Amino acid sequence: MPIALHYKENKQNFSKLLYILLSLCLFYGWYKNGLSYVFLGRMSFSSACLLLIYPLVSLFINILYNKISKKKWYHELYEGLFLSLIIPPNTPYLLFILLTLGYFFMKKIRLKTPVSRLLLFKVCLGVFCLLFSISYENQIESSVPYFYDVIDLFFGRAVGNFGTTSILLLFLIYLLFASDFYYKKELPIYTIVSFGICAFFYSAIIKDFSFLSAFLNSHVWVAAIFFVPENKYSPAIGPYKNIYAILIGILSFIFMYLLNIPDGAYYAVFILELLWLFLSKILIFKK
């Protein structure tokens, strides 16, 4: 059971709701990055359909992995679906295929990693995006000027991952995860709030008053909800948990708004997971 998505197979209602919400993220991402421009006459329907290659490829590889592992073909398909949601809309198909194959290969051979495989997938993708100058703008956003207000950001009309730009849908996923006793529900709150406080003071200092726009950055919400609370890689004791989450929020702000790194929130989680791994071994040794 991948702890990353906090999924319990014996909770059918939970799993059904998770699939529904992730599917809504997928269809909204398809609408936002493709169909909405088809309706405006700026993109052909065939071009919009090409965006569905991402989920089709990742789901196919997920099913292939299940077959090789002698599991039911539909076992934990949310993993493949999620991988297709957290990529830039212009990710090269070959790069996505190779990284997805790498993800399931590591899972097949049960390769132990110091951070979660999902986070490692996202960080590796971010590194390749930096190397090959792949932005989070979709085909239309990269060619024409655009402006998204706070309402747009809340509902998901914003630059970001293919299928996780909607703060509303992310919040609903958080509520679902928070119903799980083992989900560290306070950590996303500490991360997002600490990030928001930094953004508030920064906006006040530079006097651009873009606090809400920064607060509704979907990358921070994705990192906070999906990656920060992972049981295997985050602290379990109260004071450590809170400090861990707050530091991720602060570091995310530094990376994203002071250093202008779009994937800063994921790098922040990556660094803190490694740091916690090191510190936890020291603490265990002292005991």
Side-chain angles (χ1 to χ4, degrees):
M1 180 188 71
I3 300 174
L5 293 181
H6 315 280
Y7 173 72
K8 287 188 173 182
E9 291 182 320
N10 62 341
K11 288 188 175 182
Q12 293 185 356
N13 291 333
F14 183 96
S15 63
K16 289 177 181 178
L17 286 172
L18 177 58
Y19 278 115
I20 289 172
L21 289 173
L22 291 180
S23 296
L24 287 175
C25 287
L26 170 62
F27 286 119
Y28 183 80
W30 186 36
Y31 169 79
K32 183 260 174 182
N33 295 293
L35 290 180
S36 63
Y37 300 116
V38 173
F39 299 148
L40 294 173
R42 295 182 178 179
M43 180 183 291
S44 66
F45 181 70
S46 59
S47 295
C49 287
L50 289 176
L51 294 171
L52 295 178
I53 290 178
Y54 298 119
L56 291 176
V57 165
S58 58
L59 288 173
F60 174 77
I61 295 175
N62 199 158
I63 292 171
L64 183 62
Y65 163 80
N66 288 338
K67 287 292 186 180
I68 295 174
S69 302
K70 297 181 179 180
K71 300 176 181 178
K72 294 180 179 179
W73 69 269
Y74 53 81
H75 180 70
E76 296 180 348
L77 285 182
Y78 61 84
E79 282 189 89
L81 179 57
F82 183 68
L83 292 179
S84 69
L85 298 179
I86 59 173
I87 63 172
N90 283 320
T91 301
Y93 297 126
L94 180 58
L95 174 60
F96 178 65
I97 292 171
L98 291 176
L99 287 178
T100 304
L101 285 172
Y103 172 84
F104 283 104
F105 177 75
M106 286 192 299
K107 185 176 180 180
K108 176 61 180 175
I109 64 174
R110 298 181 180 180
L111 179 65
K112 293 183 178 181
T113 57
V115 299
S116 74
R117 284 189 298 268
L118 282 172
L119 178 59
L120 188 60
F121 170 91
K122 183 59 180 172
V123 169
C124 288
L125 178 59
V127 171
F128 279 108
C129 288
L130 284 175
L131 292 176
F132 297 103
S133 300
I134 303 169
S135 75
Y136 280 98
E137 295 176 331
N138 60 39
Q139 179 181 335
I140 303 301
E141 290 167 337
S142 61
S143 60
V144 298
Y146 59 87
F147 172 78
Y148 298 132
D149 59 25
V150 172
I151 300 300
D152 289 328
L153 298 178
F154 179 74
F155 285 104
R157 192 164 182 79
V159 175
N161 292 326
F162 174 73
T164 59
T165 55
S166 173
I167 301 300
L168 174 61
L169 289 175
L170 290 175
F171 180 69
L172 293 177
I173 292 174
Y174 168 75
L175 292 180
L176 176 63
F177 285 166
S179 67
D180 185 343
F181 175 79
Y182 297 100
Y183 181 73
K184 300 172 183 177
K185 57 183 70 70
E186 68 276 18
L187 297 194
I189 295 175
Y190 278 108
T191 298
I192 293 171
V193 169
S194 60
F195 178 88
I197 291 174
C198 291
F200 174 79
F201 283 107
Y202 180 72
S203 296
I205 291 173
I206 66 175
K207 298 180 180 179
D208 72 344
F209 305 104
S210 61
F211 158 68
L212 284 178
S213 296
F215 181 72
L216 295 176
N217 187 297
S218 61
H219 290 299
V220 177
W221 285 66
V222 171
I225 293 170
F226 290 97
F227 298 124
V228 173
E230 294 192 66
N231 290 326
K232 185 177 179 180
Y233 303 98
S234 62
I237 302 174
Y240 296 124
K241 286 197 300 182
N242 299 341
I243 295 172
Y244 174 82
I246 291 171
L247 287 177
I248 289 177
I250 294 173
L251 192 58
S252 297
F253 173 79
I254 293 173
F255 283 157
M256 299 177 74
Y257 284 89
L258 299 185
L259 300 180
N260 197 29
I261 302 174
D263 287 307
Y266 311 111
Y267 297 151
V269 182
F270 180 81
I271 292 171
L272 265 295
E273 280 192 6
L274 290 177
L275 181 60
W276 172 246
L277 174 66
F278 174 74
L279 292 177
S280 61
K281 288 184 176 181
I282 293 178
L283 293 174
I284 292 174
F285 179 75
K286 284 184 177 181
K287 291 180 180 179

